[in-house]
Amino acid sequence: MFVTRNTLKAIKEYFFSSLKNKYEKMELESLYLITAEEILNLNRTEIRLDKGVKLLESELLKFNSVIKGLKKDIPIQQLFGKAPFYEREFVIDENVLIPRQETEELIQLIVEKNKIDSPRILDIGTGSGAIAISLNLEINNSKVYALDVSEKALDIAKKNKELLNGKVEFLKLDILKESSSKFTEKLDLIVSNPPYVLNSEKELMLSNVLDYEPHLALFVEDANPLIFYKKIVDFALINLVEEGILYFEINEKYGEEVAGLMQNNFNKIEIIKDLNGKDRFVFGTLSS
Ligand code: GLN
């Protein structure tokens, strides 16, 4: 056996010594707490205090398999099949992007800005459904639709809708290929966090993202970095009501360019920074 004693103290030491070359101290601390919480069903205080916690053989084995996964750079969210987002827990797997903190900021901005009663909302490229479901649960009487090109992503999104009791209508649609006029209902809000990482930015990415998260959801060709934004702006011109709002999450490099795509037909265009001070969101209101 990899540890000879079944105390939490022993497994903690083993966890840290196995992974200390791969992760920094703070990150390791947080990975350990997440792992222990999940496997032992204890809260953080109980884990920190460790009043002589003893592990079952099955729990030791689970720890071992998480350590193995972390050594291979598998994201902790994938090891447990779930990720927190906007104070809820979403099921995830390798077919969907792990929801990011920036996208939580996007939800907060939309919820704060929304003044429409019972808005009709569409999320384009929904992945795990994190945006669509959160908006549905946060905005009273919202009617939410969500699209994705990936059937496997939609399966996860539907699972999340059921687990979280959201009301979202999911549709499989390739926004790049299908005609904008295929969508029949008029919308008050359109939101999208489309793929926006350049292929050339791959070398800057960590293995846990690059090797385990879906490239379909992340990357665009350097030659056409705004391909999704152009298509979604055209889609919005047809499908938004007058004064309807388009919300984008963007690559920090392209705030001005995305705003530029909108400037002929939208007003009140804003480029908004995320908590790290990077241009991360562009909003605009369709001119009447
Ligand atoms: N923000 C994500 C990342 O940094 C990318 C999200 C996206 O491409 N839409 O990995």
Side-chain angles (χ1 to χ4, degrees), residues 55-220:
L55 281 74
L56 304 170
E57 179 78 16
S58 61
E59 293 168 336
L60 288 173
L61 289 170
K62 282 187 197 159
F63 258 100
N64 204 26
S65 101
V66 170
I67 291 168
K68 271 197 189 145
L70 290 173
K71 276 191 184 163
K72 288 195 256 176
D73 285 317
I74 302 177
I76 187 96
Q77 298 91 336
Q78 285 185 3
L79 292 171
F80 291 118
K82 57 191 182 183
F85 183 81
Y86 215 80
E87 287 170 26
R88 298 185 179 88
E89 198 160 79
F90 284 77
V91 170
I92 59 118
D93 70 6
E94 67 285 356
N95 296 299
V96 298
L97 209 65
I98 298 167
R100 306 289 204 266
Q101 183 193 314
E102 295 89 303
T103 311
E104 291 183 319
E105 293 177 45
L106 176 64
I107 300 293
Q108 193 176 0
L109 289 164
I110 297 174
V111 169
E112 279 168 7
K113 199 174 155 76
N114 182 59
K115 297 200 179 62
I116 305 169
D117 206 33
S118 319
R120 291 156 297 178
I121 302 173
L122 173 66
D123 174 22
I124 299 178
T126 196
S128 65
I131 294 178
I133 295 165
S134 301
L135 289 177
N136 173 247
L137 295 173
E138 295 295 327
I139 301 180
N140 278 343
N141 301 317
S142 50
K143 172 106 185 75
V144 182
Y145 302 90
L147 313 175
D148 208 284
V149 63
S150 159
E151 193 81 56
K152 287 183 177 159
L154 287 171
D155 288 344
I156 294 284
K158 287 174 192 161
K159 211 180 268 178
N160 281 317
K161 175 183 87 162
E162 255 137 58
L163 289 169
L164 294 166
N165 248 323
K167 285 190 205 67
V168 177
E169 204 171 303
F170 292 104
L171 305 160
K172 181 171 165 8
L173 191 135
D174 183 345
I175 190 76
L176 295 181
K177 294 219 179 87
E178 305 211 33
S179 145
S180 306
S181 51
K182 235 182 144 175
F183 200 83
T184 42
E185 176 131 20
K186 280 279 177 191
L187 299 158
D188 300 295
L189 311 180
I190 295 177
V191 52
S192 186
N193 172 22
Y196 63 63
V197 181
L198 304 180
N199 275 323
S200 64
E201 291 174 321
K202 275 185 186 160
E203 57 196 61
L204 305 172
M205 295 178 93
L206 298 174
S207 149
N208 59 0
V209 178
L210 197 55
D211 297 342
Y212 295 101
E213 293 201 71
H215 287 198
L216 182 66
L218 283 169
F219 295 110
V220 281

